Amino acid sequence: MSTVAIISSFADDTQCANAIEQLRAAQVGDFNTFSPIPSHRIERAIGRSKSPVRWIVLAGGILGVLAGLAITIGTTYEWRLNAGGKPLLSWPPFIVICFELMVLLGGIFGFLGVMMLSGVPTTEMEPGYDGRFGEDRFGIVVRCDEAEAARIELVLKESGAEEVVREGA
Amino acid sequence: MSTHLQKAHRERGAMKPRAVESVVGTSTRAVAGAMIVLGATAFMLALSRGGAAIAWQAYLVNLLFFLGVAQGALVASASFYLTQAKWGGSTPYRLGEAFAPFLWVGFFLFFGLYFGRSLIFPWVTHPIAQKAAWLNTPFLFARDGIGLGVMAAASYAFIRVSRGADARAWTIATDDIQLPPHSIRVRAPLVAVLFAVVYTLIAFDLVMSLAPVWRSTLFGWYFFAGCFWSGLTAMALTAVVLRSRLGENNLFTNSTVLHDFGKMVFAFSVFWIYLLFAQYIVIWYGDLPVETFFVVQRVHHLPWSPLSAACLVLIWLIPFTVLMSVRAKKTPVILGTVAGLGLVGMWLERYVLVVPSLSLDAVPFGPTQFLISIGFLGAFLVSAMPGLNRVAQAATSGEPVGDDPE
């Protein structure tokens, strides 16, 4: 049995999401979805668990607060400047710096986390990718045995695929 | 016309106002009426028995709080048009407009302050020469009265259009990216800008002038940001309460809608504390006695410091920590409790802003103040009843809502 690739394109993200749900209901697991825009409907249809990036951002945020405390407390003890009779370690100005560093490092860590976890940069194109999927079409590429292909093509067509093309892989 | 718009127009025809039972039962109306009577009686008794000072303090605090909630909610409705919000169909708009009758009630009650002016405004009995051109009785009552009147009139001009068929059809056209109808595009920004101007004026005149030596430039924004947040929080609380009273499958059973209300309560409480800290850090750093006394009285000295801490906890700490998770925002009991506590906190905040200027060494709160507050709450509830019926109608009409399956 040879493996074929079925490439289908959709003009509407709701239809694409429906197709994904139909495929999952039909126990078809090996497919890729391409989308030109982030779509909540498609994400929910695919049903992946929440991204671990939020933990990376949290780590960055905590690191930022600690860095802020280190800088503020460290420089205060280094220079011991008395600003208008206020206590040496006073939280109102320190909180500003800690907050800003929390935002900065949280953001940087989040960016790096997304880059790492999404496999960017990549040198290989996913098989079945078409330029339209970066413009105005949603695409589903299913890899399956030749025997299953007809059934899967039917599922995709019924879900409203504009175009279904089979390629021997 | 796209199929979605056709569907929306068809459904609109089916949603003609039907004779629906009032969502507010007779017992609630009776209780609210009794509250008004209690409050008015307590007020009159206090005036006649030498408790005039505390009576007028309670009057001012409650006027500021409830007017803020009513106006803030109305401005929230205008903001929803300005941001093209279709996450709840027409119901969030009706919810924001539900408290609007109190704007006129508050307008008339404002002039009542004239009779207590010598007990509220220190500059009436001790005029300040340099500020007399601004802080004098005729000018203050004229400008604030006109401001509140213009605000109420503009709000009602906005509501009239918002309740029209065009605006309603726009709010439920979920697949259409058209801007709102032209009349809304004129009146909603007007309401928003007027709100900023008039409520800055109210904050300066009715709160800041009670400590006439003190000033903070950001105070007007801080005050009306609190009003906006209390409006949103009141809307969230109303949504949770109506959820269980409107039968099955009303809009508020949709957890995405509750999630959206929760997000706004969360976000604007952060905005509020941001504005609070922005004022605090500047005053702290400058350390000028003419500025610091206001803050020190309320935050660092007994008897007011525990109340300030309570405000902070109720308005920011609890909403921020509790409403951070998605699940908490979608749970009605949690959202409702946080919203209720937040409103108590905001009332307390108005109290802590106003009363220490008038009574520094003791926290005056007894049966008189409690009953007057109850009276204002009753008046607020009574004026909200017609609007709540419209909310119930919108929430049970099965409108399509903007789809955001998170």
Side-chain angles (χ1 to χ4, degrees):
Chain A
M1 288 293 185
S2 56
T3 334
V4 291
I6 305 172
I7 305 166
S8 59
S9 73
F10 297 79
D12 187 66
D13 71 335
T14 316
Q15 291 172 332
C16 183
N18 284 339
I20 295 173
E21 280 168 8
Q22 297 300 324
L23 286 176
R24 290 181 72 197
Q27 312 286 351
V28 178
D30 189 8
F31 62 90
N32 273 336
T33 312
F34 299 104
S35 167
I37 54 162
S39 164
H40 283 143
R41 291 180 190 145
I42 291 181
E43 280 171 23
R44 197 172 67 154
I46 294 176
R48 278 161 63 177
S49 51
K50 283 194 199 170
S51 165
V53 171
R54 28 192 206 129
W55 300 113
I56 301 178
V57 174
L58 179 65
I62 292 175
L63 204 64
V65 173
L66 295 176
L69 286 174
I71 288 178
T72 49
I73 297 177
T75 54
T76 303
Y77 277 132
E78 180 71 28
W79 290 94
R80 295 188 179 264
L81 290 173
N82 181 313
K86 300 182 182 60
L88 215 51
L89 297 179
S90 32
W91 65 266
F94 289 11
I95 225 183
V96 176
I97 293 150
C98 295
F99 174 80
E100 299 299 344
L101 278 174
M102 174 186 79
V103 173
L104 178 70
L105 288 191
I108 289 178
F109 271 53
F111 174 74
L112 292 175
V114 168
M115 288 296 111
M116 276 178 355
L117 290 177
S118 56
V120 171
T122 177
T123 49
E124 284 179 12
M125 277 296 208
E126 288 281 345
Y129 178 77
D130 187 311
R132 290 172 303 161
F133 301 150
E135 288 178 10
D136 61 355
R137 287 292 180 276
F138 302 87
I140 301 180
V141 176
V142 188
R143 298 170 62 74
C144 61
D145 286 338
E146 206 159 345
E148 304 273 302
R151 177 174 71 103
I152 291 172
E153 281 176 355
L154 190 60
V155 168
L156 291 170
K157 286 209 181 85
E158 279 176 353
S159 302
E162 259 187 356
E163 207 181 289
V164 179
V165 168
R166 189 193 304 198
E167 277 181 15
Chain B
M1 232 196 298
S2 80
T3 43
H4 280 96
L5 269 180
Q6 282 171 329
K7 184 157 158 268
H9 276 278
R10 238 184 295 128
E11 282 173 358
R12 190 158 47 92
M15 285 187 282
K16 288 259 180 313
R18 55 190 192 276
V20 76
E21 261 180 45
S22 170
V23 69
V24 184
T26 11
S27 54
T28 318
R29 279 185 237 183
V31 168
M35 285 160 81
I36 299 177
V37 170
L38 270 177
T41 314
F43 184 74
M44 295 300 175
L45 274 178
L47 284 188
S48 59
R49 288 190 188 177
I54 57 171
W56 285 112
Q57 286 165 17
Y59 187 102
L60 179 60
V61 168
N62 283 291
L63 181 67
L64 291 172
F65 174 71
F66 285 105
L67 209 50
V69 174
Q71 191 66 69
L74 191 284
V75 174
S77 176
S79 323
F80 293 159
Y81 281 112
L82 292 171
T83 51
Q84 300 191 53
K86 294 187 180 179
W87 49 266
S90 68
T91 310
Y93 297 90
R94 299 292 88 79
L95 200 45
E97 296 153 9
F99 312 121
F102 192 82
L103 297 178
W104 286 119
V105 175
F107 171 69
F108 287 113
L109 288 177
F110 163 74
F111 290 104
L113 286 174
Y114 178 81
F115 301 102
R117 65 193 186 283
S118 54
L119 294 167
I120 299 174
F121 302 111
W123 42 265
V124 167
T125 43
H126 303 98
I128 301 166
Q130 301 113 313
K131 307 199 181 189
W134 184 260
L135 293 181
N136 61 77
T137 305
F139 191 19
L140 182 130
F141 279 93
R143 65 173 177 264
D144 291 342
I146 291 174
L148 287 176
V150 167
M151 195 70 245
S155 302
Y156 265 88
F158 164 77
I159 288 175
R160 207 172 312 127
V161 177
S162 173
R163 285 179 182 162
D166 284 343
R168 178 93 182 291
W170 177 85
T171 60
I172 58 179
T174 52
D175 271 8
D176 196 352
I177 58 168
Q178 296 257 334
L179 290 176
H182 175 76
S183 47
I184 293 281
R185 299 212 302 274
V186 169
R187 296 180 194 203
L190 186 68
V191 163
V193 171
L194 272 176
F195 174 64
V197 173
V198 170
Y199 274 74
T200 300
L201 200 60
I202 295 291
F204 286 170
D205 285 342
L206 298 186
V207 184
M208 219 165 76
S209 78
L210 305 188
V213 186
W214 186 75
R215 66 163 185 257
S216 163
T217 320
L218 196 55
F219 192 77
W221 280 82
Y222 166 74
F223 185 83
F224 77 68
C227 294
F228 187 66
W229 181 79
S230 55
L232 288 170
T233 310
M235 289 162 69
L237 180 62
T238 310
V240 170
V241 168
L242 286 181
R243 179 178 184 271
S244 48
R245 297 187 69 155
L246 288 180
E248 302 205 4
N249 279 334
N250 62 74
L251 182 85
F252 304 122
T253 53
N254 183 340
S255 66
T256 315
V257 172
L258 287 183
H259 187 192
D260 290 319
F261 276 116
K263 281 190 247 186
M264 288 189 291
V265 172
F266 177 88
F268 285 97
S269 89
V270 178
F271 184 55
W272 175 86
I273 195 163
Y274 172 82
L275 293 178
L276 176 68
F277 183 74
Q279 294 178 94
Y280 182 85
I281 181 93
V282 170
I283 293 175
W284 179 89
Y285 211 92
D287 208 10
L288 300 172
V290 70
E291 289 181 353
T292 57
F293 77 90
F294 190 91
V295 176
V296 167
Q297 281 169 2
R298 286 159 175 76
V299 174
H300 296 292
H301 286 170
L302 294 171
W304 295 101
S305 44
L307 292 180
S308 305
C311 286
L312 208 76
V313 168
L314 292 172
I315 303 179
W316 177 70
L317 194 64
I318 292 181
F320 187 77
T321 51
V322 173
L323 290 185
M324 202 181 293
S325 76
V326 172
R327 196 154 312 167
K329 290 192 273 273
K330 289 184 175 180
T331 311
V333 159
I334 298 180
L335 181 62
T337 309
V338 171
L341 289 175
L343 286 171
V344 170
M346 193 47 91
W347 186 95
L348 199 59
E349 197 254 4
R350 298 299 180 231
Y351 191 79
V352 168
L353 282 178
V354 167
V355 179
S357 304
L358 306 174
S359 155
L360 183 56
D361 301 314
V363 177
F365 194 81
T368 309
Q369 290 95 328
F370 180 72
L371 288 175
I372 294 176
S373 309
I374 293 291
F376 269 84
L377 179 60
F380 184 80
L381 289 176
V382 167
S383 50
M385 285 174 188
L388 288 178
N389 280 330
R390 288 175 189 266
V391 173
Q393 235 167 38
T396 49
S397 56
E399 287 170 348
V401 296
D403 206 337
D404 186 19
E406 267 186 66

